[in-house]
């Protein structure tokens, strides 16, 4: 049957890789029964093979755990649904699952990490204990990547960068126009507590995390700059300029969402894998992420 342009667009996004359980990496792992919930990225879906395989490795490693790849804004809807609406769907999905009722560890992939972090800051009931963010655009995206998918999306989005009714508008950061970003982007400046009036609840909820794991891909071509995955970003007024790393940023120094406190108390871990966006191996996953849930 013919493939529609929408289906083609949706299928073009990097999805979670299909991983296998690396048995030799699991020796000595033991953990409590805290469940693990996964949130997919743009163009992906909870029922897709990659997301299901990630959840399966958790239960293979920890037979007493429950793991679920949530079905939230799946497929094309992950592109077309604004992030505030995705957060509402995520919250409903979490609360509809009785096995998550006492809290859970969370893993986000790509765009899905912003949904998870918004949940922690704004909702956090039931609470997230540990949060693993893989290739998340935590400080936004500063340019349209050289990618055929974005070549289709960006002309639509550029008509109204912050007002376009798509998820991408929620984390676009034009570093050449800071005032416009703060005024017109309704999502990222809010959850990053970048506006003058700070939301103390956001910081307080982030500080409830036991662990905050930030993962970047060393050759990421989908989130630009790639350092956004570890809360780095271009300096204001310097597109394609120097990266301001997390610990030098205003947000860290001001502890706007608790990054400095989390870091100084040993609760932030930064990891990297060699490769492009979400293209980690089963071995890397088993050796670096699965032990977080022990």
């Amino acid at each position: 049957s013919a493939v529609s342009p929408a289906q083609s667009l949706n299928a073009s996004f990097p999805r979670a890789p299909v991983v296998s359980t690396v048995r030799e990496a699991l020796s000595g792992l033991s953990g409590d029964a805290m469940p693990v919930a996964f949130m997919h990225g743009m163009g992906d879906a909870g029922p897709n093979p990659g997301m299901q395989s990630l959840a399966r490795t958790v239960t293979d490693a920890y037979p007493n755990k429950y793991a679920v790849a949530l079905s939230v804004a799946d497929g094309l809807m992950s592109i077309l649904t604004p992030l505030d609406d995705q957060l509402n769907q995520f919250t409903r999905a979490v609360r509809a699952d009785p096995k998550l009722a006492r809290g859970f560890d969370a893993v986000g992939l790509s765009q899905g990490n912003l949904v998870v972090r918004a949940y922690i800051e704004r909702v956090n009931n039931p609470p997230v204990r540990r949060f693993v963010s893989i290739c998340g655009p935590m400080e936004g995206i500063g340019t349209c990547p050289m990618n055929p998918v974005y070549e289709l999306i960006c002309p639509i989005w550029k008509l109204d960068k912050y007002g376009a009714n798509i998820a991408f508008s929620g984390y676009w950061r034009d570093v050449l126009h800071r005032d416009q970003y703060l005024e017109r982007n309704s999502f990222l400046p809010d959850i990053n507590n970048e506006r003058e009036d700070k939301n103390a609840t956001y910081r307080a909820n982030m500080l409830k995390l036991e662990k905050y794991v930030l993962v970047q891909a060393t050759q990421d071509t989908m989130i630009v700059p790639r350092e956004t995955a570890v809360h780095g970003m271009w300096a204001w007024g310097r597109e394609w300029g120097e990266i301001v790393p997390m610990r030098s940023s205003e947000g860290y120094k001001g502890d706007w969402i608790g990054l400095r406190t989390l870091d100084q108390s040993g609760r932030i871990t930064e990891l990297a894998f060699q490769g492009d966006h979400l293209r980690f191996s089963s071995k890397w996953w088993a050796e670096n992420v699965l032990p977080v849930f022990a």
Side-chain angles (χ1 to χ4, degrees):
S1 59
V3 177
S4 70
Q7 289 172 319
S8 178
L9 172 64
N10 179 44
S12 299
F13 281 92
R15 296 178 176 181
V18 176
V19 297
S20 57
T21 299
V22 181
R23 296 288 175 183
E24 56 269 26
L26 304 183
S27 60
L29 284 185
S30 62
D32 56 26
M34 182 65 75
V36 182
F38 289 79
M39 178 59 199
H40 64 80
M42 185 180 283
D44 209 345
N48 280 348
M51 294 302 298
Q52 291 297 309
S53 73
L54 291 172
R56 191 161 52 248
T57 64
V58 172
T59 54
D60 285 344
Y62 306 99
N64 60 329
K65 285 187 182 291
Y66 167 73
V68 59
L70 294 171
S71 186
V72 173
D74 287 336
L76 188 61
M77 296 313 296
S78 66
I79 302 169
L80 301 179
T81 306
L83 292 178
D84 285 318
D85 295 336
Q86 292 196 35
L87 168 61
N88 292 336
Q89 292 182 31
F90 181 87
T91 301
R92 288 196 295 270
V94 166
R95 290 178 172 173
D97 191 334
K99 294 181 180 179
L100 302 179
R102 294 188 176 185
F104 58 99
D105 293 335
V107 181
L109 279 79
S110 193
Q111 172 184 283
N113 289 293
L114 295 177
V115 178
V116 175
R117 183 152 65 84
Y119 172 85
I120 294 168
E121 294 181 17
R122 295 177 178 175
V123 183
N124 214 33
N125 180 26
V128 174
R129 181 182 67 166
R130 299 170 185 170
F131 176 24
V132 179
S133 167
I134 301 177
C135 299
M138 289 304 186
E139 297 297 321
I141 287 182
T143 190
C144 282
M146 298 298 291
N147 178 285
V149 174
Y150 278 95
E151 289 175 9
L152 292 174
I153 289 179
C154 285
I156 302 170
W157 156 80
K158 283 181 177 177
L159 295 174
D160 187 2
K161 294 177 181 178
Y162 297 117
N165 203 33
I166 58 175
F168 187 47
S169 291
Y171 52 100
W172 169 251
R173 179 193 291 263
D174 182 350
V175 298
L176 299 180
H177 301 95
R178 184 177 189 174
D179 290 347
Q180 185 184 75
Y181 161 76
L182 291 174
E183 179 184 344
R184 299 202 58 216
N185 188 321
S186 62
F187 186 82
L188 191 64
D190 180 66
I191 67 166
N192 281 0
N193 244 351
E194 295 178 81
R195 297 196 174 97
E196 187 174 344
D197 293 332
K198 308 301 180 191
N199 190 317
T201 299
Y202 291 2
R203 179 178 179 274
N205 281 348
M206 284 291 288
L207 291 179
K208 294 174 183 176
L209 288 173
E210 285 185 8
K211 294 181 181 180
Y212 185 26
V213 181
L214 298 164
V215 180
Q216 69 168 308
T218 58
Q219 282 91 46
D220 204 317
T221 60
M222 283 297 290
I223 59 170
V224 181
R226 62 179 172 81
E227 291 87 355
T228 184
V230 289
H231 284 282
M233 194 31 139
W234 296 321
W236 289 110
R238 297 284 304 278
E239 189 177 46
W240 295 103
E242 64 175 307
I243 293 292
V244 178
M246 175 179 68
R247 292 174 182 86
S248 298
S249 69
E250 291 179 88
Y252 180 92
K253 292 176 180 178
D255 214 24
W256 294 346
I257 60 169
L259 292 178
R260 190 185 70 216
T261 299
L262 286 168
D263 188 31
Q264 293 177 349
S265 58
R267 286 180 279 168
I268 289 182
T269 301
E270 294 180 60
L271 301 173
F273 61 86
Q274 299 295 315
D276 203 348
H277 193 67
L278 302 181
R279 299 276 70 87
F280 51 84
S281 68
S282 298
K283 185 173 186 291
W284 181 89
W285 171 262
E287 292 178 347
N288 291 277
V289 177
L290 288 180
V292 172
F293 311 123

